[in-house]
Amino acid sequence: MPRYISHASPLEDGSGDALEGLLTDLSLTDARETGTVEKGSSAFNPFLALLSPAPVTGPIEKNTGGFNPFLPYLVKLTRDVIPQQLAELQKPRRFIINETDDLYLQGRRFQKKWGISEEGFNNWKSLLLGWVEFPAILLLNPSPWDHLPFDEMVDESPTLSWLQKTLKELQLQLEDVIILDTFPMLRDKLRDDTLRQMGPARRDELARESFALTRASLALIQPRVLVSCQCCTRPGNDRWGFFNNDELAEQLCSSGVRARSRQVRELDLSGHKMHVVQGMHPQYVMEREPTQKEVLVELFTQVFRPFGMWQSRRAAMQQQLRDAGAVLLRLVMLLQQQMKLYGQLCAQSGSGVEGLLAAEHVEELRKQLAEWEDGNKLKRKEG
């Protein structure tokens, strides 16, 4: 069972959550569709500049004291866990699915068995592209337009368009962040058609095999931070409540109440510790709870802005390195030209100067530069 970073909650996850209640009759596939610095420590934390201040929130549902007891736990994540992760990060790893990978083959079998389009399969892979060390996002059916090419699918999807815009403001792109669909390649229409034509057993089989792709993806990627933006994989949900015997699916389920209280759930995924930030589905917020947009934007800002700033600074440093390298290459070329001229002058005069600039020393340096240049050419050819 999951355990929360916070202490015991005075909130319940039941029918009192207005967001969850509304969500039961909403289809999310609408046709439009760093060392650790302890809290309170006086030690210097170089990553505090990357973090936004803790938000001040008012009373939350079912909290008679009017104080938000979960607020410190998102702060704990953004002040302790994320800075430590960034401090240890040297070169992020890119997650890409290759044709020989088990996950790719598993996805292909699912695609062929259930008649998924090629674009649907490719878009599932494309959404999974991203940096392994960055926080990942869990959605539910982010677009019913997955039969379109990726860019068109994003443009047609309110959810993915919102994510693209929000991440851009945080100096990130969609391709920087791994996006998981809770039920990959399984749109509402396919689920409902399978139920109508083949019965509940086949529908359940379809959902199990789809979620198995998400389970395998999480096991392979092992994100340290996952922002859960889906509230449907819980018993009693009108559209997905039938999928009620999978513990991981329930553990990955968020809620509006937990999102507003900035709650973070800690999961153990086969020995891997994962922090699941409780969020809300962007399309749900836009269509049903626009007043909660600020909560969702603030949550994404708290979690993703440090990574956007880290990447921006790293890109600037890499550009400086490239510029410095270009200057060095020009200096080497100039040095080679001057050494060639020096050799010619020595030959004409019949002698060279004494000391460090003796002809034999210059010739030795010329040979070393020639070997260095030949080695670089070989590396470029092999690369």
Side-chain angles (χ1 to χ4, degrees), residues 77 82 85 95 127-139 163 167 172 174 176-181 214 217-218 221-229 252 272 274-279 299-300 303-304 307:
L77 182 74
I82 288 177
Q85 187 174 352
F95 182 74
L127 286 174
L128 283 175
L129 292 176
W131 301 112
V132 173
E133 290 79 8
F134 286 18
I137 299 172
L138 179 68
L139 294 168
L163 281 177
L167 291 173
L172 293 169
L174 277 182
D176 292 324
V177 178
I178 294 171
I179 299 175
L180 300 103
D181 186 354
T214 296
S217 298
L218 287 172
I221 299 166
Q222 294 191 333
R224 290 184 64 179
V225 178
L226 177 72
V227 181
S228 175
C229 294
L252 293 174
H272 169 68
M274 182 168 65
H275 300 276
V276 182
V277 179
Q278 306 293 284
L299 185 150
F300 269 75
V303 173
F304 285 99
F307 291 87

Side-chain angles (χ1 to χ4, degrees), residues 1-2 233 246-253 265 267 276 278:
M1 293 298 292
T233 53
D246 192 293
E247 183 180 13
L248 178 60
E250 292 186 30
Q251 291 172 343
L252 293 174
C253 185
R265 172 178 284 178
L267 296 183
V276 182
Q278 306 293 284

Side-chain angles (χ1 to χ4, degrees), residues 10-11 59-67 69:
L11 300 174
I60 57 177
E61 290 184 32
K62 296 187 180 181
N63 186 4
T64 56
F67 171 68

Side-chain angles (χ1 to χ4, degrees), residues 49-284:
L50 302 182
L51 306 174
S52 58
V56 178
T57 60
I60 57 177
E61 290 184 32
K62 296 187 180 181
N63 186 4
T64 56
F67 171 68
N68 185 342
F70 296 103
L71 182 59
Y73 302 101
L74 181 58
V75 171
K76 177 178 174 61
L77 182 74
T78 56
R79 287 189 178 174
D80 294 344
V81 177
I82 288 177
Q84 180 180 355
Q85 187 174 352
L86 288 171
E88 297 169 353
L89 182 56
Q90 296 296 324
K91 184 177 181 181
R93 296 167 294 158
R94 187 81 172 157
F95 182 74
I96 300 175
I97 304 177
N98 298 308
E99 293 185 3
T100 56
D101 294 340
D102 290 342
L103 182 60
Y104 178 96
L105 299 175
Q106 183 180 351
R108 274 296 188 197
R109 289 192 295 269
F110 178 84
Q111 176 207 7
K112 292 178 180 179
K113 178 176 179 178
W114 298 101
I116 309 298
S117 69
E118 185 67 15
E119 289 293 356
F121 176 78
N122 290 333
N123 286 328
W124 166 66
K125 291 194 305 171
S126 296
L127 286 174
L128 283 175
L129 292 176
W131 301 112
V132 173
E133 290 79 8
F134 286 18
I137 299 172
L138 179 68
L139 294 168
L140 179 66
N141 295 349
S143 175
W145 304 91
D146 61 354
H147 60 283
L148 298 175
F150 184 79
D151 290 340
E152 294 181 32
M153 177 190 71
V154 172
D155 291 340
E156 292 289 344
S157 166
T159 295
L160 295 178
S161 296
W162 182 90
L163 281 177
Q164 186 177 54
K165 177 178 180 294
T166 302
L167 291 173
K168 184 177 181 180
E169 293 173 353
L170 302 175
Q171 305 181 70
L172 293 169
Q173 305 296 325
L174 277 182
E175 56 266 27
D176 292 324
V177 178
I178 294 171
I179 299 175
L180 300 103
D181 186 354
T182 306
F183 294 103
M185 296 181 271
L186 204 176
R187 288 186 281 163
D188 283 358
K189 186 177 186 304
L190 175 59
R191 178 201 60 207
D192 296 342
D193 287 349
T194 302
L195 174 63
R196 184 177 64 256
Q197 298 170 10
M198 303 181 187
R202 287 286 280 176
R203 177 205 58 185
D204 294 357
E205 179 184 355
L206 168 65
R208 282 196 307 272
E209 293 182 3
S210 177
F211 185 73
L213 291 171
T214 296
R215 187 191 304 275
S217 298
L218 287 172
L220 188 60
I221 299 166
Q222 294 191 333
R224 290 184 64 179
V225 178
L226 177 72
V227 181
S228 175
C229 294
Q230 67 88 16
C231 312
C232 291
T233 53
R234 58 179 176 82
N237 181 266
D238 185 52
R239 295 181 179 274
W240 295 97
F242 68 89
F243 195 76
N244 58 5
N245 291 317
D246 192 293
E247 183 180 13
L248 178 60
E250 292 186 30
Q251 291 172 343
L252 293 174
C253 185
S254 180
S255 79
V257 164
R258 295 198 295 266
R260 289 194 297 275
S261 62
R262 278 66 169 181
Q263 194 169 344
V264 178
R265 172 178 284 178
E266 186 177 290
L267 296 183
D268 186 295
L269 190 63
S270 300
H272 169 68
K273 182 179 179 181
M274 182 168 65
H275 300 276
V276 182
V277 179
Q278 306 293 284
M280 295 176 281
H281 200 287
Q283 184 175 334
Y284 171 73

